[in-house]
Amino acid sequence: MVELKTDTSIDAMYEAGQVVARALTAAQKAADVGVSLLELDEVAHGVLREAGATSPFLGYRPPFAPTPFPAVLCVSVNDAIVHGVPDRYRLRDGDLVSIDFGAELGGWVGDSALSFVVGTPRAADLRLIETAERALQAGIEAAVVGNRIGDIAHAIGTICRGAGYGIPDGFGGHGIGRRMHEDPGVPNEGRPGRGMRLRHGMVLAIEPMVVAGGGDDFHAAPDGWTLKTNDGSRAAHAEHTVAITDSGPRILTAR
């Protein structure tokens, strides 16, 4: 069931989204050669504490997970696509890092992700990240009243496939509001004109993921959470929480 949010609720979700934006900005700024993933998690945790917000990630345990998620920040490095668990790994020059973060404030949730390179970037990594960001922007531009979920999916998939990249099978965006994951699902590939019609008050987390090697297959790491590319190629992830409004899409996690 899809809950349509009031304009007042969307304003409240914007406040939660801005906590997310500040945490991602702070974590990216702190990411440098020699910094551990646990240290990045603590930076994000500090932003939560300062805002009086809580984490929808910490302790989250969906059906596929062997254990509750142990951190507030997902940090996925190089061939990790999403759900990377922060550990003692220290960042190296040229690492491609994707960070995903959520915050709950006043009973509303925001969720966003970005990717970047630590130190000296490879041209191929910059192209991968730029494609994820372009796909996200295309998805957002399709998130207008009267369009359908398939229009968002098609916009994202066209950019990703057009660049020759893989799209992790079965993973995509989702509705968001009082809970981190709500209806409807938002695939990263699909046919235009299909699926649920978009209405004022719907709020979606739109999140393309791209795999450099062109394959769609992945596997879980031993921690049971981190999803890695099967071919060992690198991946990038971009995400925003977006409200569908009569005046156009509103990015609630804009940085």
Side-chain angles (χ1 to χ4, degrees):
M1 180 177 176
V2 175
E3 177 195 1
L4 298 179
K5 281 71 176 179
T6 66
D7 291 347
T8 299
S9 296
I10 290 173
D11 287 342
M13 289 191 72
Y14 175 80
E15 295 304 319
Q18 289 309 291
V19 176
V20 176
R22 291 196 297 274
L24 288 175
T25 299
Q28 180 180 8
K29 184 177 180 180
D32 202 353
V33 174
V35 174
S36 76
L37 306 189
L38 283 172
E39 289 173 305
L40 296 185
D41 184 68
E42 181 52 38
V43 168
H45 212 154
V47 174
L48 278 180
R49 288 191 291 264
E50 183 179 347
T54 58
S55 171
F57 288 17
L58 183 64
Y60 180 59
R61 188 178 183 182
F64 69 80
T67 58
F69 195 75
V72 302
L73 185 71
C74 292
V75 191
S76 305
V77 181
N78 296 331
D79 64 337
I81 305 167
V82 287
H83 303 163
V85 177
D87 57 19
R88 291 184 176 84
Y89 176 83
R90 294 191 177 276
L91 293 170
R92 301 171 184 173
D93 186 56
D95 276 346
L96 194 167
V97 181
S98 298
I99 52 176
D100 189 355
F101 184 79
E104 181 175 347
L105 183 69
W108 296 101
V109 179
D111 186 12
S112 183
L114 60 87
S115 297
F116 56 89
V117 177
V118 173
T120 307
R122 305 178 187 180
D125 289 343
L126 294 180
R127 179 172 175 266
L128 187 70
I129 293 168
E130 189 266 341
T131 299
E133 292 174 345
R134 281 197 298 117
L136 174 59
Q137 184 58 38
I140 292 170
E141 289 174 0
V144 296
V145 171
N147 270 2
R148 294 182 179 271
I149 292 291
D151 295 310
I152 298 175
H154 179 71
I156 292 171
T158 297
I159 296 291
C160 298
R161 295 299 189 192
Y165 296 137
I167 299 172
D169 189 35
F171 277 82
H174 49 89
I176 186 170
R178 293 286 186 183
R179 293 174 291 113
M180 181 166 58
H181 292 123
E182 298 183 352
D183 291 333
V186 186
N188 285 330
E189 191 170 29
R191 297 176 64 181
R194 298 297 183 91
M196 182 177 294
R197 191 173 296 278
L198 304 180
R199 298 169 60 191
H200 179 90
M202 292 176 67
V203 182
L204 307 174
I206 300 173
E207 51 176 325
M209 308 158 198
V210 287
V211 175
D216 300 350
D217 298 327
F218 56 87
H219 63 276
D223 62 28
W225 272 100
T226 307
L227 301 183
K228 294 196 167 191
T229 62
N230 276 1
D231 61 7
S233 66
R234 295 187 170 200
H237 179 202
E239 178 184 18
H240 272 309
T241 296
V242 181
I244 313 297
T245 79
D246 289 330
S247 57
R250 181 182 178 189
I251 303 173
L252 305 182
T253 47
R255 294 181 288 276

